[in-house]
Amino acid sequence: MCGGFVSGLAGFGTGLVALGIWLHVIPPATATALVLICSVAAQCQTIPKIWHAVDVGRIWPMVAAGIVGVPFGVTLLAHVDPGAFRFGIGGFLILFSAVMLIGGGRITVAHEGRLADVAIGFGGGVLGGLAGLSGPLPTMWATLRGWGKDQRRGVFQTFNLVVLAMALIVLALKGMVTREVLWLVIWALPGTFAGAWLGHRCYRRLSDHHFQQLVLMLLGVSGLTLIWPVLFAG
């Protein structure tokens, strides 16, 4: 329910909240599959409510590049040092969110360019395949563009939904969506749906400015969760 609430409120974050709790009681592979299913379910529930703000012509190059990037990320798994990767990405997220919060969100990129959208989408796909981190790059890009909250959410939620659904399909094809996972899904989905419904009702009350602050704070928290195990591994 907590993961669903954050997803309904911000458009992402189910794993950020739920994974840290579930990993205490169920194996990582099972927890990852459960997070993916609940993430996709929560986003499918809320995306119709912002579909009016989804510009297909704007989002499709990013989504297509993200799908292409996922296999590259999976390939890199065997060649990237996990500690260095977590520290680098986590530090970048913290720095970005801090700069944007201190600057009051006034830093924007006005340039329109499909090439930049494709690059961000490909990078998000690579990070999604490498570590399940499909969200940060599109979220930061949408924030820098200075769009309204529905436009921003329409971009990064659509992107995340497609990439996470693809990752779920890959897990299913590898046989990782087991009977145990499906049993846990039966218990998890009611809370996910209830939390997403409540979170979206709160989202509708947020101004553009408050939504941007919320997203930036969640990005900062995501960065902290990545670097914390690295800093205190000893």
Side-chain angles (χ1 to χ4, degrees):
M1 186 170 185
C2 291
F5 176 80
V6 173
S7 178
L9 180 63
F12 69 99
T14 302
L16 173 64
V17 176
L19 196 58
I21 301 171
W22 283 336
L23 283 175
H24 288 290
V25 291
I26 55 179
T30 303
T32 299
L34 189 57
V35 163
L36 283 174
I37 293 172
C38 290
S39 297
V40 171
Q43 296 207 13
C44 285
Q45 178 185 354
T46 57
I47 201 166
K49 304 180 189 303
I50 61 162
W51 192 251
H52 64 278
V54 176
D55 186 340
V56 177
R58 173 191 295 153
I59 191 65
W60 80 261
M62 187 182 294
V63 171
I67 293 173
V68 173
V70 170
F72 285 90
V74 174
T75 303
L76 288 174
L77 278 172
H79 306 285
V80 175
D81 178 68
F85 174 78
R86 291 171 68 95
F87 192 82
I89 297 297
F92 179 64
L93 289 176
I94 293 171
L95 179 63
F96 175 83
S97 58
V99 169
M100 291 296 291
L101 285 169
I102 292 172
R106 291 186 294 270
I107 303 172
T108 58
V109 176
H111 176 66
E112 291 278 353
R114 287 288 177 87
L115 184 60
D117 291 339
V118 168
I120 293 295
F122 181 78
V126 171
L127 291 179
L130 182 60
L133 295 172
S134 61
L137 281 180
T139 302
M140 288 188 288
W141 181 239
T143 300
L144 285 171
R145 297 304 299 272
W147 294 322
K149 66 174 187 175
D150 281 357
Q151 289 176 298
R152 268 178 275 173
R153 182 164 177 163
V155 168
F156 61 72
Q157 184 170 344
T158 303
F159 181 87
N160 287 338
L161 176 57
V162 173
V163 173
L164 291 175
M166 182 178 178
L168 180 57
I169 291 171
V170 172
L171 283 184
L173 291 175
K174 290 185 175 183
M176 297 178 66
V177 182
T178 62
R179 181 177 298 180
E180 179 189 4
V181 171
L182 295 176
W183 176 249
L184 292 172
V185 166
I186 294 174
W187 289 96
L189 281 185
T192 298
F193 287 136
W197 176 82
L198 182 60
H200 191 79
R201 286 183 66 87
C202 294
Y203 163 80
R204 289 166 56 187
R205 297 176 181 271
L206 292 174
S207 66
D208 285 352
H209 176 67
H210 288 150
F211 178 70
Q212 175 163 299
Q213 288 183 313
L214 171 69
V215 168
L216 290 172
M217 286 189 287
L218 284 174
L219 287 174
V221 171
S222 298
L224 285 173
T225 60
L226 285 172
I227 69 171
W228 189 269
V230 179
L231 292 176
F232 296 96

